[in-house]
Amino acid sequence: MAKIFCVANQKGGVGKTTTCVNLAAALQESGQRTLLIDLDPQGNATMGSGVDKRTLKGGIYPLLVGLAQLDAVRMRSPSGGYDILPANRELAGAEVELVGLERRERRLRDALQAFDAEYDFVLVDCPPSLSLLTLNGLCAAHGVIIPMQCEYFALEGLSDLVNTIKKVHAGLNRDLKIIGLLRVMYDPRMTLQQQVSAQLESHFGDKVFRAIVPRNVRLAEAPSHGMPGVVFDRNAKGAQAYMAFAEEMIERVKKL
Ligand code: ADP
Ligand code: MG
């Protein structure tokens, strides 16, 4: 049975897409059958997986509105080797259309059901909002991975997300839990980051992943080549951290 994880944080630019693309590539390389779902109309996970969003026909939009099945719209990432359900700007329209549809929060969950046996991991790259699209991700998932920067305001933003996750758990998806917090773009030379990191550990205990992703320019360069960082330069510190994170996820899943 596939384990489905949302990578979510309502803030933009915190490393959701980078985490999705690199975790997907590292999991696939470790022999885990992986599907990456791009649920953000910006299509960054799509481009970063080597699929051109500008020439895309289909993708996740027709799937959500009930016009296509997964096997008709998924693709293989040419650089990452995992399957991808790509997105582009059209997806912003789905948001409006979904409002009028039946089971509007459960469209993604329903669409994945028949393909459950084909994957070990499904990762959902959420948009930077707590919108109906994100809600579809949360309803389909077993857990949430929250990437965050160790900054002063990081904890403040976290409480909104945690409240949303609690509401979804109570009303829509009893399976949903927070799998963990992933520290990303970490700079160990900054005292404030060390302090916030230590604060996270004392508040959240083993909900904080052991792997820490450093700020690393190779991770930022990789998307312009249509490649996950772990493929673009596997020896870079950032790539190594995501590979360690993938191993940690494989271990955690055994305990779920
Ligand atoms: P989100 O999906 O949350 O908006 P992204 O993953 O797109 O965030 O990251 C925002 C920007 O930061 C991108 O330009 C990305 O390349 C860069 N970035 C992400 N993680 C790192 C990192 N560990 N080191 C350096 N740059 C990073
Ligand atoms: Mg993103």
Side-chain angles (χ1 to χ4, degrees):
M1 210 184 79
K3 286 290 177 198
I4 306 174
F5 300 109
C6 276
V7 176
N9 189 322
Q10 75 276 25
K11 281 178 68 176
V14 294
K16 293 181 290 297
T17 300
T18 304
T19 296
C20 274
V21 166
N22 283 287
L23 180 59
L27 287 169
Q28 184 72 37
E29 202 191 275
S30 300
Q32 307 290 319
R33 300 164 303 158
T34 303
L35 170 67
L36 172 56
I37 298 178
D38 192 352
L39 205 49
D40 187 341
Q42 292 181 80
N44 293 344
T46 299
M47 295 295 279
S49 299
V51 173
D52 193 346
K53 66 178 179 184
R54 292 160 300 193
T55 54
L56 189 67
K57 298 268 178 293
I60 190 171
Y61 171 79
L63 182 101
L64 288 177
V65 298
L67 292 173
Q69 295 249 316
L70 179 66
D71 52 356
V73 289
R74 68 183 162 192
M75 299 169 75
R76 175 73 44 85
S77 161
S79 51
Y82 48 84
D83 279 0
I84 178 157
L85 181 50
N88 61 18
R89 284 168 54 190
E90 272 186 45
L91 180 57
E95 177 103 57
V96 182
E97 253 180 84
L98 279 173
V99 175
L101 298 179
E102 255 178 85
R103 295 174 66 78
R104 60 186 179 187
E105 307 92 354
R106 292 187 169 83
R107 310 292 294 196
L108 184 61
R109 183 192 189 115
D110 292 347
L112 291 177
Q113 220 148 44
F115 299 87
D116 195 57
E118 295 185 27
Y119 297 104
D120 301 304
F121 281 89
V122 177
L123 304 176
V124 185
D125 187 21
C126 290
S129 62
L130 299 173
S131 61
L132 193 47
L133 288 172
T134 300
L135 211 51
N136 261 272
L138 294 175
C139 277
H142 300 105
V144 187
I145 296 167
I146 306 174
M148 53 189 300
Q149 284 170 259
C150 293
E151 289 173 344
Y152 182 64
F153 288 115
L155 289 168
E156 209 168 279
L158 203 56
S159 59
D160 291 338
L161 180 59
V162 170
N163 283 333
T164 303
I165 292 169
K166 278 187 186 152
K167 278 186 203 152
V168 173
H169 177 265
L172 294 163
N173 178 6
R174 300 299 297 182
D175 288 340
L176 190 68
K177 48 169 108 35
I178 293 176
I179 303 298
L181 304 174
L182 178 67
R183 291 163 284 182
V184 298
M185 298 190 223
Y186 187 69
D187 183 348
R189 293 166 303 182
M190 302 211 3
T191 313
L192 177 65
Q193 295 213 8
Q194 290 172 13
Q195 287 168 349
V196 173
S197 173
Q199 225 177 1
L200 284 176
E201 283 174 356
S202 64
H203 267 74
F204 296 96
D206 61 5
K207 287 279 178 200
V208 182
F209 291 110
R210 290 190 308 276
I212 301 179
V213 181
R215 185 171 283 285
N216 177 234
V217 68
R218 302 297 273 168
L219 287 175
E221 287 168 354
S224 65
H225 301 269
M227 283 185 199
V230 300
V231 176
F232 179 60
D233 183 356
R234 59 177 296 117
N235 296 316
K237 286 219 165 71
Q240 298 280 326
Y242 274 117
M243 289 191 262
F245 178 46
E247 293 310 315
E248 197 175 346
M249 279 302 296
I250 293 169
E251 283 307 308
R252 284 234 180 171
V253 159
K254 290 179 189 158
K255 296 182 199 140
L256 286 181

